[in-house]
Amino acid sequence: MNEPIKKIAVLTSGGDAPGMNAAIRAVVRACSYYSIECVGVYRGYQGLIEGDFEIISSRNVSNIINKGGTILKSARSLEFKTKEGRAKAYKNLKEHGVGGLILIGGDGTFTGGLKFMQEFNFPLVGIPGTIDNDIYGTDNTIGYDTALNTVVEVIDKIRDTASSHNRLFFIEVMGRDAGFIALNAGIGAGAEEILIPEKNIGLEKFVESLNKGKDSGKTSSIVVVSEGDKIGKNVFELADHITESFPEYDIRVSVLGHMQRGGSPSCFDRVLASRLGVAAVEALLDKSTGVMIGITENKISKVELEKAIKMNNDINKELLKVAEITSV
Ligand code: F6P
């Protein structure tokens, strides 16, 4: 553990996010800059267990900064949740002479990584990559900005048809446990209502609010619903409840789904990913371990992985107020 690191491995795990390739590129090129070897691990933890490794050089990551997805592929590995699986992963890393590991992913990725580090005392550093922006210790996760832009673009299109037909649209956006995409894209797209898990307004208040909109002369409405929202079992059940209360409404449901995870990363995500990738390599070379590299007030920051996993980002109350005021 005290020997200088000569080889770093990098993997992407969990849900992919636009900008992961830019982060891989930055890791590879930072390794090259500091004269160490970089190993790409395919299919996240599953590839770590199976030894699906490949040396990646600077030229191998040409022309990927603009690409969505991840060239290293991603997977959710059940085997890595077992001690035997993690032991195989450790053996592979040792056999390949890897001295440090960079994990690009979200909550689940860091939870597995932390366990692995504690068991085998293996140096590792995390980079937050998820469209949900639900990781504590960073203002932005890689992919979030791109996803917001994708969602806003799609809602703009839906608004055209909603207003032409005087319809009420329920648009479900991603965010398993967090409403950051819904709240920010909802404000950006001028939604009439935004439903998020962090603020369960309940069906009654929601109906009341829709009534207010109707009374104020609104003829069409966009309701952005985070997939983690708790009114109703899902967006379809919610729409059914509203159909019962407002039989006069012509209601449609649109679930945006995985299109939110695809596409070319925004400039913001490319720059963020590049900064975090370089900082992650430097952190490992400085003997940091068990930390996530993030961005706080536009400066590189480090937070213990344990905190990044266990703590939650609060929803911004000012944004909630802005949403309320601008939708009257
Ligand atoms: O964690 C990112 C995320 O996109 C969530 O918002 C969503 O609930 C989930 O992944 C979907 O996962 P999968 O691709 O496995 O269906």
Side-chain angles (χ1 to χ4, degrees):
M1 173 141 181
N2 285 326
E3 284 166 34
I5 293 180
K6 295 196 192 76
K7 208 185 255 187
I8 284 177
V10 57
L11 62 81
T12 48
S13 162
D16 64 338
M20 279 184 165
N21 280 329
I24 295 166
R25 172 180 176 270
V27 167
V28 171
R29 295 206 167 160
C31 283
S32 166
Y33 182 85
Y34 290 111
S35 307
I36 43 181
E37 253 185 325
C38 188
V39 180
V41 179
Y42 289 97
R43 295 176 294 118
Y45 290 129
Q46 200 51 40
L48 209 55
I49 292 168
E50 292 171 20
D52 198 356
F53 294 5
E54 190 178 6
I55 297 285
I56 321 186
S57 73
S58 280
R59 296 289 71 77
N60 297 137
V61 290
S62 300
N63 305 321
I64 67 164
I65 194 166
N66 54 334
K67 300 247 172 7
T70 158
I71 59 160
L72 291 177
K73 315 269 183 192
S74 191
R76 301 191 200 270
S77 168
L78 288 177
E79 210 182 335
F80 197 72
K81 292 193 171 157
T82 67
K83 188 144 196 203
E84 296 72 41
R86 293 192 293 274
K88 280 188 207 164
Y90 178 70
K91 192 168 163 268
N92 284 332
L93 285 167
K94 280 282 149 197
E95 274 175 15
H96 282 81
V98 175
L101 180 60
I102 295 179
L103 312 168
I104 308 173
D107 244 3
T109 306
F110 297 158
T111 305
L114 187 62
K115 185 127 216 195
F116 182 71
M117 187 193 83
Q118 286 162 348
E119 270 170 2
F120 298 100
N121 195 22
F122 196 88
L124 56 84
V125 164
I127 295 179
T130 163
I131 64 162
D132 291 353
N133 206 36
D134 58 347
I135 307 282
Y136 178 83
T138 186
D139 291 344
N140 277 75
T141 55
I142 295 169
Y144 173 57
D145 181 68
T146 307
L148 285 182
N149 287 312
T150 303
V151 172
V152 166
E153 200 185 320
V154 175
I155 298 180
D156 285 350
K157 292 189 164 78
I158 294 178
R159 184 178 284 288
D160 290 344
T161 172
S163 74
S164 302
H165 288 266
N166 287 346
R167 278 176 173 158
L168 167 61
F169 263 89
F170 287 91
I171 303 174
E172 189 199 85
V173 300
M174 275 189 170
R176 201 182 351 228
D177 310 303
F180 298 106
I181 296 180
L183 182 56
N184 283 273
I187 292 176
E192 275 65 32
E193 302 285 344
I194 302 169
L195 303 178
I196 55 173
E198 294 87 344
K199 190 182 175 222
N200 187 3
I201 60 166
L203 188 60
E204 216 171 293
K205 261 202 132 182
F206 178 50
V207 169
E208 204 180 290
S209 184
L210 282 178
N211 259 323
K212 261 197 210 153
K214 205 171 122 194
D215 293 347
S216 76
K218 291 195 180 191
T219 52
S220 68
S221 287
I222 299 286
V223 179
V224 175
V225 187
S226 172
E227 75 178 315
D229 180 63
K230 307 209 170 52
I231 314 183
K233 211 167 57 219
N234 55 40
V235 68
F236 294 99
E237 195 183 275
L238 173 64
D240 285 346
H241 284 316
I242 300 303
T243 311
E244 279 165 28
S245 311
F246 298 92
E248 70 278 24
Y249 275 180
D250 194 7
I251 295 178
R252 293 292 185 275
V253 174
S254 237
V255 175
L256 301 193
H258 287 79
M259 66 141 80
Q260 295 162 90
R261 289 224 303 245
S264 178
S266 64
C267 180
F268 181 91
D269 275 328
R270 296 180 198 193
V271 175
L272 175 68
S274 302
R275 291 175 75 183
L276 298 185
V278 168
V281 171
E282 289 176 343
L284 275 176
L285 295 180
D286 281 350
K287 305 251 176 270
S288 287
T289 181
V291 293
M292 181 193 82
I293 308 298
I295 198 104
T296 307
E297 291 175 359
N298 201 24
K299 289 207 170 59
I300 293 291
S301 55
K302 270 184 209 168
V303 62
E304 282 163 32
L305 275 181
E306 198 147 2
K307 271 197 185 162
I309 298 161
K310 288 202 181 126
M311 293 178 67
N312 288 323
N313 286 332
D314 291 333
I315 210 89
N316 184 330
K317 295 216 172 57
E318 186 238 340
L319 284 185
L320 287 174
K321 193 169 164 209
V322 168
E324 191 184 332
I325 292 176
T326 56
S327 64
V328 291

